[in-house]
């Protein structure tokens, strides 16, 4: 096996292990599950957590009360637990108010949620903004409940506290930022949530170790919707630095990559991502922006209109495991996590290396042989750059084309075009222009 394959296997395993460690925690918009998650993330990468008090006004929204849960169950007339939060945290509707009561099955049923079409799976339900309580269970289990009296208990608290935002900032040579955002508000769901966290952590680890960063990087680990709204409201002064961005979610399943473009549609991030996917040769889908999905809805709201796309494998809502107990640690696999990492890392490399040059010998082609460039210096037939890439870079380096647009026109992987530009610059044939 080659070193790259070995590294990919180690990367995928590390990402999956992190997802497995985070899986049992009961995350929600707020509360201890989020804090425990951020403590584990903070062990892997430099992370600052910020607490925003309940009641804080953020644009048209308000930071909600904090929710914490210790236990929940339903007991039948014989005192047996027929639903138990400790067996699976999806059994409780997220943000359920505390309850302790006895009731008949008919009274209980309106508080029970199941999936008749997927009778063995527990659904994921929340009620963030309407105070209620409920339980989720497999439809087969719901149907097996006998008539009689039931005792229900949800030992939760819903009270003023705070919302926790996690942030990792890696400064670069320029103020221009690449934003990565993932949500940390889902309980035991692996692809929709934990895979995105694992990818963000792996990218941050990789970038923190990089000796030189041209761009600055900001990683947000935040609850969906209210988290990005809160971050944007508290950081409006920083928003103009964001030049590229990706929301990461559902990146560990076996499906092909789906890239959802930013609202702008033609931002550098949109072009770089499409180029990496196209030249990579794997099946993929590119979809236009729509104001539905993850936190790109907030980043791409008209008052911000940031160049933020969304990187996924199977798109949210389109796979049968979505928002059910089947979105488990078996559904995400190390090889797909590693593949998602490799593709996003290639986009990072393209945006780090993108630049414009001027050909200093523009009248007819310069002699490559006399400069040691002909036939692929770097020495071998499999050298880092090839002759056609050299000719494309020389021809299009008129000051107007950046390396990404040259790579697009040449239909060549960005790294080949970049390697050619570096060699030509070293040979004194190109002058690097200011961005
Ligand atoms: Zn979700």
């Amino acid at each position: 096996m080659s070193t790259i394959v070995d590294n990919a296997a180690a990367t995928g395993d590390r990402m999956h292990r992190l997802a497995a460690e985070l899986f049992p925690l009961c995350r929600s918009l707020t509360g201890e599950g989020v804090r425990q998650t951020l403590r584990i993330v903070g062990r892997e990468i430099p992370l600052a957590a910020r607490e925003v008090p309940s009641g804080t006004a953020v644009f048209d929204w308000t930071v909600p009360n904090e929710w914490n849960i210790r236990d929940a169950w339903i007991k039948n007339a014989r005192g047996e637990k027929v639903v138990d939060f400790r067996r699976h945290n999806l059994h409780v509707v997220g943000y359920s108010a505390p309850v302790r009561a006895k009731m008949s099955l008919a009274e209980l049923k309106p508080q029970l949620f199941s999936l008749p079409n997927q009778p063995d799976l527990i659904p994921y339900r929340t009620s963030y903004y309407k105070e209620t309580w409920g339980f989720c269970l497999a439809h087969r289990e719901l149907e097996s409940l006998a008539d009689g009296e039931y005792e229900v208990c949800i030992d939760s608290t819903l009270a003023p506290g705070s919302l926790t935002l996690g942030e990792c900032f890696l400064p670069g040579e320029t103020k221009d930022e690449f934003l990565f955002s993932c949500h940390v508000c889902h309980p035991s769901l692996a692809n929709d949530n934990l895979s995105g966290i694992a990818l963000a952590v792996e990218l941050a680890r990789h970038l923190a170790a990089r000796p030189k960063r041209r761009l600055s990087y900001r990683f947000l680990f935040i609850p969906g919707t209210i988290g990005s709204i809160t971050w944007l409201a508290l950081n409006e002064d920083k928003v103009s630095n964001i030049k590229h961005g990706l929301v990461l979610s559902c990146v560990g399943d076996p499906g092909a990559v789906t890239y959802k473009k930013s609202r702008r549609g033609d931002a550098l991030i949109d072009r770089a991502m499409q180029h990496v996917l196209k030249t990579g040769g794997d099946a993929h889908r590119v979809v236009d922006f729509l104001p539905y999905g993850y936190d790109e809805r907030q980043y791409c709201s008209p008052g911000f209109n940031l160049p933020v796309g969304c990187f996924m494998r199977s798109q949210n809502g389109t796979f049968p495991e979505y928002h059910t107990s089947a979105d488990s640690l078996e559904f995400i696999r190390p090889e797909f996590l590693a593949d998602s990492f490799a593709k996003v890392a290639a986009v990072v490399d393209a945006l780090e290396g993108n630049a414009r040059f001027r050909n200093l010998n523009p009248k007819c082609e310069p002699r490559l042989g006399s400069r040691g460039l002909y036939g692929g210096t770097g020495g071998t037939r499999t050298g880092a750059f090839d002759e056609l890439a050299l000719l494309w870079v020389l021809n299009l380096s008129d000051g107007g084309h950046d390396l990404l647009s040259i790579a697009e026109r040449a239909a060549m992987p960005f790294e080949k075009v970049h390697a050619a530009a570096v060699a030509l610059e070293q040979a004194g044939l190109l002058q690097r222009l200011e961005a």
Side-chain angles (χ1 to χ4, degrees), residues 124 183 185-186 189 192-193 249-250 294 316 322-323:
Y124 167 51
H183 56 293
C185 53
H186 287 29
L189 294 168
D192 178 13
N193 206 168
S249 185
C250 302
Y294 293 106
N316 55 297
Y322 179 74
H323 280 188

Side-chain angles (χ1 to χ4, degrees), residues 137-204:
L137 67 168
H139 193 66
R140 240 182 261 292
E141 287 177 18
L142 189 153
E143 293 212 298
S144 72
L145 295 178
D147 279 333
E149 193 177 58
Y150 286 87
E151 186 181 358
V152 299
C153 163
I154 296 180
D155 180 13
S156 65
T157 43
L158 192 50
S162 58
L163 175 146
T164 316
L165 302 173
E167 188 164 348
C168 166
F169 182 68
L170 303 172
E173 288 165 355
T174 68
K175 279 187 154 178
D176 290 354
E177 279 184 24
F178 198 147
L179 174 81
F180 288 97
S181 181
C182 62
H183 56 293
V184 294
C185 53
H186 287 29
S188 295
L189 294 168
N191 200 38
D192 178 13
N193 206 168
L194 295 176
S195 69
I197 297 174
L199 177 53
V201 167
E202 196 59 31
L203 287 164

Side-chain angles (χ1 to χ4, degrees), residues 122-143:
I122 309 167
Y124 167 51
R125 290 275 187 283
T126 61
S127 183
Y128 296 137
Y129 300 104
K130 180 174 166 265
E131 194 169 315
T132 182
W133 61 271
F135 286 89
C136 301
L137 67 168
H139 193 66
R140 240 182 261 292
E141 287 177 18
L142 189 153
E143 293 212 298

